[in-house]
Amino acid sequence: MVDFKHSVVYQIWPRSFKDSNNDGIGDIQGIISKLDYLKNLGITCIWLSPIYASPNDDYGYDISDYYAINPEYGTMDDFDELLLECKNRNIDILMDLVANHTSTEHKWFKDALNNPSSPYRDFYYFKEGVNHREPNNWLSFFGGSSWTKESDNSYYLTSFAPTQADLNWENEKVREEIYNVMKFYLNKGIRGFRMDVINCIDKKPGLPDKNPNKKGYQFPDDYILNGPKVHTYLKEMNEKVMSKYDGVITLAEGCMVTLQDAMNYTNPDNKEIDMCFHFDLSTLGYGSLGKYDFRKFYRFNASDIKSITRKWQNAMMEHHGYIANFLSNHDNMRHIERYGDIKLYYLESAKAFALYNFMLYGTPFIYQGEEIGMTNLKLDYHEWKDYEAINSVQAMHDMLHVPLPIAKKIGQYVTRDNARTPVQWSSEDYAGFSTTTPWIKLNPNYTVINAEDCIKDPQSIYNFYKKLIELRKNNEALCTGTFKELNKDHKSILCFKRSLGEDEYFIMINLTKQASDITLDEPLQGEELLHNGLDKELRRVMKLAPFEAHLYKLIKKEEPQPKVALHSSKYRV
Ligand code: NOJ
Ligand code: CA
């Protein structure tokens, strides 16, 4: 069994991964048909975005039955087959645990809504309005109020979409229900969970207004994120669920987690969870209201990446916390266009950032299609599928007074749809994803960017990822070794060592599209293990081309031998 520190995790967003029955929608049999592809890439674990029954208002993150599979994706038998086929290939599965909310189509919620004396009313947050308005001024993650109207003066809390009702974790029956769901899937043989917005399950008691003196909806960050009881609940979950099984792997989605939060969640002494995502990189250049707040023009520079990297790497090393590292996921545009340059340095920048992600302390995650260098497709407004985007455009207009056509242009740039176009398997019709028009527009560049071609090309992004995975597997220092940064003040080149005992590696990456000179803080000798284009001897003074990146295994310098034997009387004291 590969433990979480040695895992390489591949995220599947099932709707767009692979369609097996040609209805244009990805499904479980489609995943099964690509397991050999994944095995060949070398990953050890799959994080499966939700496949449970769902009305799909938030594509699976609105669950209507935790114990049923969305029929569009298959049946429970298909899921069991997937588990077995993964087991045969030594691939683990992490399921998405969406426990902050259910769909309003869930039977608990329906009962709560239809029956005033239902015990399920206390599963959720129902509250009277105040002065003919919502119970408080909280802004939803997806724009607008966090409250949805039940009747004239009654509301329920929906921190995301109006059809995602927040569960009340204060209620121990809610917690028991969720633990039962977890046990059901662990008993089937999954390895663990990626926990959706799990740091959101403790709301500030009394649900008071945030910044009561300010006008308009206010984002309730510290009122709903990382509250003290998140720890209490995770400890309880660990005790009642995780500790009952061998080697369960758990990962928290860490929306707005601070260093301290992440350390507290993942320090093994605290017995909560194994790893945590942080979003400092993926939210670079966003304004204070989040992804759709364009007021910083999504601008950032290499020094920002360097300082975030330094901050997280050092803190995790020093305080026994543990993070999972990722560049892309289903919630953001594909990173290659944010960090890299797809016009001039497509291959170089894709590989440079892949090297970055894999060489850090922490477990690397790959988002489907990233390994073949898939890019963003700027969909027209009428083609959008993403509720967050559609609603946030309206919120941008209402709150920031952005004219709608401009709000739509911004939305086109950041919508999650960018990362949700079908995986491009081949240059055949419909990219080998399906034999019919897919549920969301396919990126027409599949004729040149596709898995089949990538596999054949030794210089492809895919083969670079494959090498990275192999290197991690064969060099312990790259998994658990320490992180030490060199040349901190360099504006564009990130340099660091990973070390374990005698084994030392040196990584240097030009994070920008400008060539740059560097004089290393210390003289180093090394053997090159991997580069993204230019094979180069490691020297103290170097010039790196745009996005040039290297991995060296360091060679210890022989200590110069004293010319006269130490026992010579001349040197005796
Ligand atoms: C985070 C998930 O990754 C995202 O896709 C979803 O919309 C929200 N949580 C709400 O569940
Ligand atoms: Ca299908």
Side-chain angles (χ1 to χ4, degrees):
M1 225 172 15
V2 185
D3 71 13
F4 68 93
K5 290 193 178 173
H6 295 85
S7 299
V8 176
V9 187
Y10 186 95
Q11 183 192 352
I12 291 184
W13 198 74
R15 202 170 186 80
S16 290
F17 187 67
K18 167 78 183 146
D19 176 20
S20 74
N21 60 347
N22 300 316
D23 60 357
I25 297 173
D27 47 53
I28 295 175
Q29 286 298 335
I31 299 174
I32 295 175
S33 71
K34 292 295 178 190
L35 288 179
D36 287 335
Y37 166 85
L38 295 178
K39 185 72 196 166
N40 197 33
L41 177 60
I43 59 106
T44 66
C45 184
I46 291 169
W47 153 26
L48 199 52
S49 273
I51 52 161
Y52 316 90
S54 161
N56 277 335
D57 292 324
D58 193 21
Y59 294 112
Y61 286 92
D62 47 329
I63 297 173
S64 54
D65 185 351
Y66 290 97
Y67 296 99
I69 303 295
N70 181 341
E72 286 175 318
Y73 300 155
T75 61
M76 197 53 93
D77 285 346
D78 291 321
F79 179 68
D80 291 339
E81 190 182 326
L82 172 66
L83 269 172
L84 187 70
E85 292 295 336
C86 282
K87 205 164 169 230
N88 291 341
R89 293 169 177 81
N90 283 326
I91 294 177
D92 295 318
I93 292 195
L94 304 183
M95 284 188 91
D96 219 306
L97 180 76
V98 188
N100 175 67
H101 43 262
T102 70
S103 160
T104 49
E105 294 293 308
H106 195 286
K107 65 178 183 206
W108 302 334
F109 189 82
K110 282 191 183 160
D111 196 68
L113 207 58
N114 296 332
N115 171 5
S117 58
S118 163
Y120 291 111
R121 276 189 87 78
D122 194 44
F123 267 44
Y124 299 92
Y125 293 93
F126 282 92
K127 229 176 168 226
E128 296 279 280
V130 178
N131 300 330
H132 305 289
R133 291 221 51 171
E134 301 93 359
N136 67 25
N137 65 356
W138 293 0
L139 175 70
S140 134
F141 278 90
F142 290 166
S145 170
S146 287
W147 294 90
T148 301
K149 219 176 205 171
E150 178 193 19
S151 61
D152 258 3
N153 198 31
S154 170
Y155 296 79
Y156 47 91
L157 184 65
T158 51
S159 297
F160 292 86
T163 52
Q164 289 166 302
D166 286 58
L167 284 167
N168 171 17
W169 274 67
E170 292 268 0
N171 183 339
E172 65 171 324
K173 294 216 174 73
V174 167
R175 307 204 296 274
E176 284 308 323
E177 289 283 3
I178 296 295
Y179 302 158
N180 287 340
V181 171
M182 295 174 77
K183 286 187 236 162
F184 175 81
Y185 287 100
L186 286 168
N187 289 341
K188 278 186 173 288
I190 69 161
R191 187 70 194 274
F193 296 96
R194 172 269 187 186
M195 302 179 179
D196 188 64
V197 285
I198 198 71
N199 56 340
C200 211
I201 57 179
D202 175 29
K203 273 81 179 175
K204 194 170 176 86
L207 316 179
D209 273 336
K210 170 83 186 183
N211 302 329
N213 298 327
K214 287 200 176 160
K215 266 196 174 166
Y217 299 124
Q218 304 291 316
F219 189 63
D221 40 18
D222 53 331
Y223 284 20
I224 59 166
L225 288 163
N226 305 303
K229 284 201 185 149
V230 177
H231 298 287
T232 320
Y233 300 146
L234 288 177
K235 284 186 170 70
E236 181 185 82
M237 183 192 279
N238 192 319
E239 188 208 318
K240 293 197 169 172
V241 184
M242 283 87 100
S243 70
K244 308 279 187 234
Y245 298 82
D246 268 351
V248 172
I249 295 181
T250 49
L251 162 74
E253 188 199 15
C255 179
M256 296 176 95
V257 302
T258 62
L259 282 179
Q260 194 58 50
D261 299 321
M263 288 181 303
N264 291 345
Y265 292 136
T266 59
N267 185 322
D269 294 340
N270 295 347
K271 294 199 167 48
E272 295 183 21
I273 51 160
D274 298 321
M275 16 181 201
C276 182
F277 284 136
H278 75 77
F279 289 167
D280 286 6
L281 266 192
S282 55
T283 56
L284 265 178
Y286 293 179
S288 57
L289 294 176
K291 194 191 295 171
Y292 286 83
D293 182 348
F294 62 95
R295 289 174 292 180
K296 289 190 188 164
F297 301 105
Y298 303 113
R299 285 208 193 110
F300 56 88
N301 56 38
S303 303
D304 297 324
I305 300 181
K306 285 185 66 167
S307 63
I308 290 171
T309 308
R310 176 180 317 132
K311 172 177 129 181
W312 281 92
Q313 292 286 295
N314 290 339
M316 293 302 123
M317 295 284 345
E318 284 157 20
H319 302 279
H320 309 289
Y322 196 79
I323 47 172
N325 295 307
F326 72 98
L327 297 166
S328 278
N329 63 24
H330 65 297
D331 284 336
N332 293 290
M333 68 184 291
R334 290 184 176 274
H335 73 270
I336 185 168
E337 265 171 88
R338 256 167 72 75
Y339 309 140
D341 181 323
I342 60 162
K343 288 207 182 85
L344 295 176
Y345 304 106
Y346 169 66
L347 286 181
E348 294 85 342
S349 57
K351 292 179 187 176
F353 280 95
L355 182 72
Y356 166 82
N357 201 43
F358 271 77
M359 291 299 119
L360 295 176
Y361 179 70
T363 297
F365 275 59
I366 306 169
Y367 176 61
Q368 65 185 33
E370 171 184 334
E371 79 282 11
I372 56 167
M374 278 179 62
T375 59
N376 298 299
L377 177 63
K378 311 277 167 6
L379 295 170
D380 283 340
Y381 181 71
H382 70 271
E383 296 166 328
W384 292 7
K385 305 283 180 190
D386 174 15
Y387 175 84
E388 179 193 65
I390 295 164
N391 208 49
S392 298
V393 158
Q394 192 58 45
M396 243 196 281
H397 176 65
D398 297 343
M399 294 178 65
L400 302 175
H401 312 294
V402 184
L404 275 177
I406 296 179
K408 287 179 187 172
K409 268 263 165 270
I410 297 165
Q412 198 177 43
Y413 180 70
V414 284
T415 169
R416 305 187 291 184
D417 288 333
N418 277 307
R420 296 176 175 188
T421 60
V423 172
Q424 298 164 201
W425 293 106
S426 70
S427 58
E428 281 165 32
D429 286 353
Y430 305 107
F433 167 75
S434 180
T435 55
T436 188
T437 309
W439 72 280
I440 189 171
K441 196 167 168 183
L442 182 65
N443 195 323
N445 69 13
Y446 70 87
T447 50
V448 282
I449 299 179
N450 63 69
E452 201 173 271
D453 291 350
C454 268
I455 293 170
K456 286 188 228 145
D457 172 5
Q459 303 308 327
S460 69
I461 298 172
Y462 168 90
N463 279 310
F464 193 81
Y465 271 78
K466 209 173 145 145
K467 280 185 209 137
L468 285 170
I469 297 174
E470 228 169 75
L471 280 164
R472 260 185 82 94
K473 269 189 192 151
N474 298 328
N475 300 284
E476 183 60 27
L478 296 177
C479 297
T480 53
T482 55
F483 168 95
K484 183 171 173 264
E485 191 183 3
L486 269 65
N487 293 74
K488 285 192 185 117
D489 296 328
H490 197 286
K491 289 213 163 36
S492 45
I493 300 178
L494 172 72
C495 297
F496 58 95
K497 284 186 193 171
R498 297 292 312 277
S499 319
L500 186 71
E502 291 290 291
D503 276 346
E504 284 209 299
Y505 297 82
F506 180 64
I507 294 101
M508 89 192 301
I509 305 170
N510 182 356
L511 300 168
T512 71
K513 57 178 160 196
Q514 275 83 41
S516 194
D517 296 316
I518 187 165
T519 304
L520 295 182
D521 281 349
E522 45 184 270
L524 297 170
Q525 280 185 356
E527 172 205 343
E528 177 132 69
L529 295 186
L530 190 66
H531 59 78
N532 65 344
L534 294 169
D535 186 357
K536 212 176 249 181
E537 192 185 333
L538 177 58
R539 292 173 185 273
R540 185 124 196 216
V541 180
M542 290 175 83
K543 186 180 186 75
L544 297 197
F547 296 109
E548 185 173 337
H550 298 271
L551 164 65
Y552 298 98
K553 182 161 171 52
L554 292 181
I555 301 164
K556 286 261 167 340
K557 282 209 197 107
E558 293 291 317
E559 287 300 322
Q561 294 298 313
K563 290 218 172 76
V564 184
L566 283 174
H567 58 260
S568 148
S569 59
K570 212 174 157 188
Y571 287 90
R572 268 202 201 130
V573 260

